[in-house]
Amino acid sequence: MTDEPPLRRRAAESRTEEASPHPSSATPEPADAGTEPIAGGPVPLTAPREGTPAPVATPSELDEVVARFAAGTGPVALDAERASGYRYSQRAYLVQLRRAGSGTALIDPLPLPDLTPLDGVIAGAEWVLHAASQDLACLAELGLRPRRLFDTELAARLAGFERVGLAALTEQVLGYSLEKHHSAADWSSRPLPESWLTYAALDVELLVDLRDALDEELTKQGKSGWAAEEFAALVRNGARPPRVRAEPWRRTSGIHRVRGARAQARVRSLWYARDQIAARRDAAPGRVLPDSAIVAAAELDPKDEKTLLTLPGFGGRSVRRLARTWLAALDDARQLPDDALPVNPVVEGPPPPHRWAERDPVAAGRLARCREVVVGTAGAHNLPPENLIAPDFIRRLAWQPPEEITDDTVAETLRTFGAREWQITLLLPALTEALHLPTS
């Protein structure tokens, strides 16, 4: 980061001038009476400046929040907590918001699944999120869709920060430390402990302050226009559900050890049996049956319960209760005719890069030269190569470039992939030159 020390100095100067360890706090109060700032280091932030609010869980309470946020000013900080490691769905189990003049609100979307009234009063504001792509889909399910946003994680990447987690950025940029020990908690559980609610409220406590500091840094580096294009793309595409894979069972961890079409059919059969149960229970599939157990059963093909239960991953009580289900899935795979066994999928697009040299040496050379352009350009502008342009775009371009290679045709090809204008501007004409065969 080119200007990290000045940012930290400004945070330190701010702490010296303010009695409170909270930026923009109207009433100087310590964050925690028992917490002393570390000399010369970040200030631990352990409680929201107005205290931890109770979760909003009734229509009347939501009406009050809507009125508060309608009366607020400036950007709206938002976050959502899911239960990815515990639940099948990717729904939000808590929504956090903060706005100047409105304070912080924690909303329980289980009894309040429609937040469109809230969306209506904050629609005109800029929404500030950290790693927005992780939350936009689950917020859209509740009726919350940004029209403008600022992503603090993406802004930090464009500005050249190496550590872009919320806690790391809050410490580096603002001089406050946040604990992140509840990030993998089961947010679907009820009631939510007070310590979890405090953690959730603190996730939006400093987001607007962080946004302002990062926006200033992007402006200094001449990257504000780049960020604006990236944020606009998130608004357009961020709420789309993830693409459904044609054969999701092929992503079973450890499947590379499973040899032969019949054994792969056992993986497939067990995977879908598990998926049906997980969906019905709204439980994470790995909690129903670990991937390692699926692979072990596919390799051994046990035909009776006693043998099945000796395999790793089948020892738990809930897994043992489903032993007949697992055996039936294995038997289904056993009974399949040969023409119904899995076949290697037709790969759309370029093959894995390590195969290029043998399949198409000329394309492999193009890819190497294009990658060199991307890495060099990214280094010159102090940002990660993957944020300069998606690696998949470069692979597709190098594997099948336009018939006539010019700046115009290369730019149009990149646009069809989804590249932004700032990315195309930075990479042309060097990328065009790299696509041509070497002259020597």
Side-chain angles (χ1 to χ4, degrees):
M1 236 299 295
T2 57
D3 202 17
E4 249 181 88
L7 283 174
R8 284 203 295 268
R9 280 199 295 274
R10 286 200 296 275
E13 291 165 2
S14 175
R15 292 200 300 275
T16 303
E17 294 168 0
E18 297 176 6
S20 166
H22 292 289
S24 308
S25 179
T27 305
E29 294 282 348
D32 188 310
T35 301
E36 291 295 328
I38 302 170
V43 175
L45 197 59
T46 57
R49 66 195 81 176
E50 299 101 1
T52 301
V56 170
T58 67
S60 61
E61 291 172 340
L62 180 60
D63 289 343
E64 187 272 331
V65 168
V66 170
R68 268 202 287 138
F69 277 78
T73 59
V76 179
L78 288 99
D79 191 26
E81 304 296 346
R82 299 181 307 281
S84 302
Y86 299 87
R87 296 292 181 176
Y88 186 84
S89 72
Q90 292 299 308
R91 66 172 299 174
Y93 286 95
L94 190 71
V95 176
Q96 308 100 281
L97 304 95
R98 183 172 182 82
R99 191 180 195 185
S102 307
T104 296
L106 305 180
I107 300 176
D108 184 349
L110 295 186
L112 299 170
D114 182 5
L115 301 183
T116 51
L118 178 60
D119 181 79
V121 300
I122 62 174
E126 178 187 73
W127 296 14
V128 183
L129 297 96
H130 187 81
S133 60
Q134 297 180 20
D135 291 335
L136 289 176
C138 69
L139 290 173
E141 288 180 0
L142 301 171
L144 296 173
R145 294 177 176 84
R147 285 68 169 177
R148 292 184 294 132
L149 69 77
F150 189 104
D151 185 334
T152 50
E153 184 198 50
L154 183 50
R157 290 183 182 277
L158 294 176
F161 283 83
E162 292 185 5
R163 299 168 60 218
V164 296
L166 180 59
L169 286 173
T170 301
E171 184 172 320
Q172 292 174 74
V173 177
L174 301 176
Y176 298 90
S177 63
L178 295 173
E179 293 186 1
K180 300 298 292 180
H181 54 276
H182 294 310
S183 59
D186 180 6
W187 290 93
S188 67
S189 62
R190 293 294 184 273
L192 292 170
E194 182 76 11
S195 62
W196 294 18
L197 296 173
T198 297
Y199 160 92
L202 288 174
D203 268 358
V204 293
E205 181 81 4
L206 300 178
L207 264 185
V208 173
D209 300 272
L210 183 60
R211 174 246 181 265
D212 292 343
L214 290 172
D215 185 53
E216 180 182 344
E217 184 65 20
L218 289 170
T219 300
K220 284 184 177 180
Q221 295 187 24
K223 297 176 179 177
S224 292
W226 305 357
E229 286 191 48
E230 293 299 306
F231 300 157
L234 277 172
V235 170
R236 289 193 304 271
N237 306 318
R240 294 178 182 173
R243 180 173 60 90
V244 178
R245 294 180 177 274
E247 296 183 302
W249 60 272
R250 291 188 181 276
R251 295 179 64 81
T252 303
S253 180
I255 195 174
H256 62 279
R257 302 203 311 267
V258 179
R259 304 297 182 188
R262 184 71 60 178
Q264 288 190 349
R266 293 193 284 270
V267 172
R268 181 177 65 185
S269 188
L270 285 167
W271 191 97
Y272 280 110
R274 178 186 70 174
D275 195 65
Q276 290 177 359
I277 295 167
R280 186 172 67 247
R281 293 180 176 178
D282 190 17
R287 289 182 168 268
V288 175
L289 185 70
D291 279 9
S292 58
I294 290 178
V295 170
E299 289 180 310
L300 186 62
D301 190 21
K303 298 173 179 60
D304 58 76
E305 186 171 328
K306 181 179 178 181
T307 307
L308 176 74
L309 298 182
T310 63
L311 296 179
F314 286 91
R317 182 183 304 173
S318 62
V319 176
R320 291 200 307 271
R321 282 201 298 262
L322 293 167
R324 291 185 180 180
T325 299
W326 311 132
L327 289 170
L330 289 167
D331 189 59
D332 288 345
R334 207 175 292 122
Q335 301 301 322
L336 286 174
D338 289 347
D339 60 3
L341 296 178
V343 295
N344 290 332
V346 176
V347 178
E348 296 181 3
H354 68 273
R355 301 284 303 276
W356 285 35
E358 63 181 63
R359 298 225 1 218
D360 191 336
V362 174
R366 285 195 299 262
L367 180 62
R369 295 192 299 275
C370 288
R371 282 176 164 175
E372 186 176 349
V373 169
V374 171
V375 171
T377 306
H381 291 87
N382 190 33
L383 75 163
E386 64 271 18
N387 288 111
L388 172 56
I389 194 162
D392 180 59
F393 296 175
I394 294 300
R395 287 192 295 268
R396 290 160 65 186
L397 178 68
W399 184 253
Q400 192 172 8
E403 291 186 10
E404 182 184 5
I405 300 174
T406 67
D407 283 354
D408 289 341
T409 60
V410 171
E412 188 55 35
T413 300
L414 291 173
R415 287 189 190 100
T416 63
F417 294 160
R420 262 70 78 185
E421 292 303 314
W422 73 269
Q423 298 170 326
I424 295 170
T425 299
L426 284 182
L427 290 168
L428 291 175
L431 205 54
T432 303
E433 183 178 349
L435 288 170
H436 286 284
L437 288 172
T439 54
S440 56

